[in-house]
Amino acid sequence: MPKADSPVSQPVAMAEVGLQVKSLQKTSDALSTALAAAKERFSKRNPNSKEIFEGACDHLPGGNTRTLLYTAPFPVCMKKGEAYQVFDEDGHVYTDFVGELTAALYGHSHPLIQKSLINTMQSIGLNLGATIQQENVHAKLICERFNLSKIRFCNSGTEANLHALAGARRFTGRRKVVVFYGAYHGAVLGFWDGVQENGVDKAEWVIGKYNDIEGAKRLIEQDDIAAVLVEGMQGAGGCISGTNEFLLQLQTSAKKVGAIFILDEVMTSRLGPGGLQAIVGLNPDITTLGKYLGGGLAFGAFGGRTDIMAVYDPRSANSLAHSGTFNNNTLAMYAGHVGLSEIWTSSVAVEFNKRGDAFRAKLQAAIAGTKMSVTGQGALNAVHFSEGGKTEIACSDDISEDWGLKDLFFLEMMEDSFWITRRGSIALMLPTPDSEMDRFIECVGRFLQRHKDLVAL
Ligand SMILES: Cc1ncc(COP(=O)(O)O)c(C=O)c1O
């Protein structure tokens, strides 16, 4: 746009700006109208969910106990899941593209997981208040698959990261941790645009720009950095991939100054048989895990170098405590092991992620030339709506999402029987049929056609 201080160009520029403002206004009016209509249809289609939500507000703030699951005007209440589908309280059946935010990799109630859970309950019992042999069986398999020397279990990915950080701080005797804008490492470890209000260790974060190699080097190569904590692909941040060069540089810089390189694979470990670290060729000091590795139950794990993990060895008088009533709960130890050994074999992991890559390529081809784009790796995807329909996104600053369009998409995909997250993440599940992926692409095409004025570049 011409500079405002240029006397010659100014009248032309003002006219241009006027036209732009008018057309933007028209677009936003049209979007508001479409959104209002979609919300009205949504409310009419889901009277039981509405009633349940209103009842839940009596006991849960905003009827909610997991913030992400609140969506306006009220969330759909699900009744059950089966394989690749979920069924709501108003009788609708959806193809589940939420995939429990990547944890439902095996699909809902996979027969082998069911069998393992029932056997465990019937012949072992829920929790024995003691160590069990199975915890070592599961530990051994995870260590082999993800190239870890030692591992400890906990109850969530959040906990895994908290304990990994505590271990790194103890091991190095330092406090500061380098993380990246746009990262999500757990409920109290979010860094969308800085440390969240409920974030822990507020003064001890050093926050850099994702994929900025030189910037990261400067931040890490200091003598007081305890650890670097990074996702190989920022999952909740919109499936923004770290380049191999960036991730390898973080590892090199961390090792150079004796900081612990922690790779958060809570989401990305399912991108290949040995996680994203094996794909990129990383050798993290500590890796954090979670999600499907507990067979679909609450689960987290952190592991890696023997010398670092030794800070948690209770045989040492000075060891760090890491307790948790359910750390070695029988259900997750057995079901998690069945999942990893019998369902998520190496060849299945490779083939499934290839299917995901093919799906994303087809989807991107179908939406090219609109404001919609898709990013991701393997079977993990995120759709975006932005000016320019950007696909090259290196960091959270590179994209400004159009939340109005995202909401419209979310609401209308439900009408086409697809359950996706409002933020646009799509985590495919093993039983998701190719025919449903193809049907999704057709429905997206129809959405873009219906709203062609709103999504035009
Ligand atoms: C990369 C990453 N780290 C950590 C977490 C936190 O895991 P949890 O929800 O099990 O606490 C998540 C959750 O989505 C995640 O995506």
Side-chain angles (χ1 to χ4, degrees):
M1 202 161 79
K3 280 191 182 136
D5 58 358
S6 154
V8 178
S9 61
Q10 195 152 353
V12 179
M14 292 313 286
E16 269 178 16
V17 170
L19 278 177
Q20 271 174 15
V21 169
K22 257 196 194 153
S23 97
L24 277 177
Q25 186 58 43
K26 237 170 95 186
T27 311
S28 78
D29 287 350
L31 180 54
S32 303
T33 307
L35 255 175
K39 281 187 184 161
E40 199 177 319
R41 293 194 303 276
F42 173 85
S43 296
K44 280 205 182 115
R45 271 165 52 88
N46 296 289
N48 294 343
S49 280
K50 184 165 189 278
E51 199 182 324
I52 292 167
F53 170 71
E54 285 165 358
C57 289
D58 288 345
H59 307 289
L60 299 162
N64 180 272
T65 188
R66 186 174 169 191
T67 304
L68 178 93
L69 300 185
Y70 174 76
T71 49
F74 55 86
V76 167
C77 187
M78 289 300 173
K79 194 172 191 162
K80 65 168 188 167
E82 259 176 42
Y84 68 91
Q85 291 174 313
V86 280
F87 302 71
D88 76 11
E89 293 282 355
D90 286 282
H92 307 118
V93 184
Y94 303 85
T95 290
D96 184 359
F97 273 14
V98 172
E100 187 47 303
L101 283 300
T102 78
L105 173 61
Y106 306 140
H108 298 286
S109 310
H110 188 290
L112 291 175
I113 300 284
Q114 277 189 49
K115 199 169 134 206
S116 165
L117 293 175
I118 292 166
N119 280 349
T120 306
M121 279 193 285
Q122 285 180 341
S123 56
I124 292 165
L126 281 192
N127 279 302
L128 308 183
T131 56
I132 55 172
Q133 191 177 10
Q134 183 65 17
E135 68 202 49
N136 186 39
V137 175
H138 197 28
K140 181 171 184 287
L141 182 60
I142 298 186
C143 283
E144 282 165 6
R145 280 285 281 270
F146 297 101
N147 193 27
L148 315 172
S149 298
K150 294 280 191 293
I151 191 168
R152 286 181 78 96
F153 297 129
C154 50
N155 300 286
S156 67
T158 304
E159 276 188 38
N161 283 316
L162 289 171
H163 291 300
L165 289 170
R169 286 179 168 136
R170 161 61 78 86
F171 186 78
T172 58
R174 307 173 191 166
R175 298 294 308 173
K176 288 191 180 161
V177 175
V178 174
V179 288
F180 297 92
Y181 287 107
Y184 181 72
H185 298 290
V188 289
L189 294 165
F191 301 93
W192 309 125
D193 49 6
V195 186
Q196 282 174 254
E197 193 175 340
N198 67 350
V200 291
D201 301 334
K202 284 232 166 59
E204 293 174 338
W205 303 108
V206 178
I207 313 181
K209 190 168 162 182
Y210 198 64
N211 275 324
D212 172 7
I213 295 179
E214 287 310 315
K217 259 170 95 171
R218 273 195 304 277
L219 296 181
I220 299 167
E221 294 184 15
Q222 312 279 339
D223 57 11
D224 60 349
I225 300 296
V228 179
L229 174 62
V230 68
E231 295 162 272
M233 175 179 76
Q234 291 190 327
C239 287
I240 301 176
S241 291
T243 63
N244 287 7
E245 297 71 30
F246 173 67
L247 297 170
L248 287 162
Q249 183 60 52
L250 299 185
Q251 176 173 281
T252 304
S253 292
K255 287 191 194 295
K256 185 170 162 189
V257 295
I260 309 304
F261 179 53
I262 306 173
L263 189 67
D264 180 343
E265 290 245 53
V266 170
M267 207 182 257
T268 54
S269 70
R270 51 175 272 180
L271 290 176
L276 188 61
Q277 58 196 68
I279 296 171
V280 178
L282 291 167
N283 183 19
D285 298 313
I286 298 286
T287 300
T288 56
L289 300 163
K291 306 272 187 189
Y292 69 100
L293 288 165
L297 287 100
F299 180 81
F302 57 102
R305 270 169 50 188
T306 301
D307 55 350
I308 302 171
M309 292 301 288
V311 304
Y312 282 108
D313 183 340
R315 292 170 299 184
S316 145
N318 194 27
S319 67
L320 266 184
H322 160 230
S323 291
T325 303
F326 298 110
N327 282 0
N328 63 340
N329 76 84
T330 51
L331 293 179
M333 293 299 111
Y334 279 93
H337 186 258
V338 164
L340 191 58
S341 58
E342 294 182 41
I343 306 172
W344 192 239
T345 57
S346 296
S347 55
V348 168
V350 170
E351 284 313 308
F352 179 61
N353 280 297
K354 274 190 197 158
R355 283 177 66 210
D357 285 332
F359 162 71
R360 192 170 43 267
K362 268 196 207 169
L363 178 59
Q364 183 54 45
I367 64 185
T370 71
K371 284 186 182 164
M372 186 175 176
S373 61
V374 58
T375 55
Q377 289 187 51
L380 301 180
N381 308 277
V383 299
H384 309 274
F385 286 89
S386 66
E387 285 306 322
K390 274 189 140 186
T391 50
E392 301 296 317
I393 305 169
C395 66
S396 50
D397 279 354
D398 276 0
I399 186 157
S400 166
E401 299 275 1
D402 184 328
W403 280 98
L405 277 174
K406 270 197 152 170
D407 276 345
L408 187 63
F409 185 70
F410 169 65
L411 290 163
E412 295 200 0
M413 284 302 107
M414 274 193 268
E415 290 178 89
D416 278 327
S417 306
F418 286 102
W419 181 237
I420 60 169
T421 59
R422 177 184 173 241
R423 76 179 185 212
S425 60
I426 296 174
L428 301 174
M429 305 193 295
L430 273 174
T432 311
D434 285 344
S435 56
E436 278 305 281
M437 299 187 208
D438 291 342
R439 189 174 75 79
F440 180 73
I441 294 171
E442 282 164 24
C443 291
V444 170
R446 284 200 288 274
F447 171 87
L448 296 175
Q449 186 57 33
R450 243 185 343 268
H451 301 293
K452 54 181 182 299
D453 294 343
L454 296 178
V455 299
L457 290 179

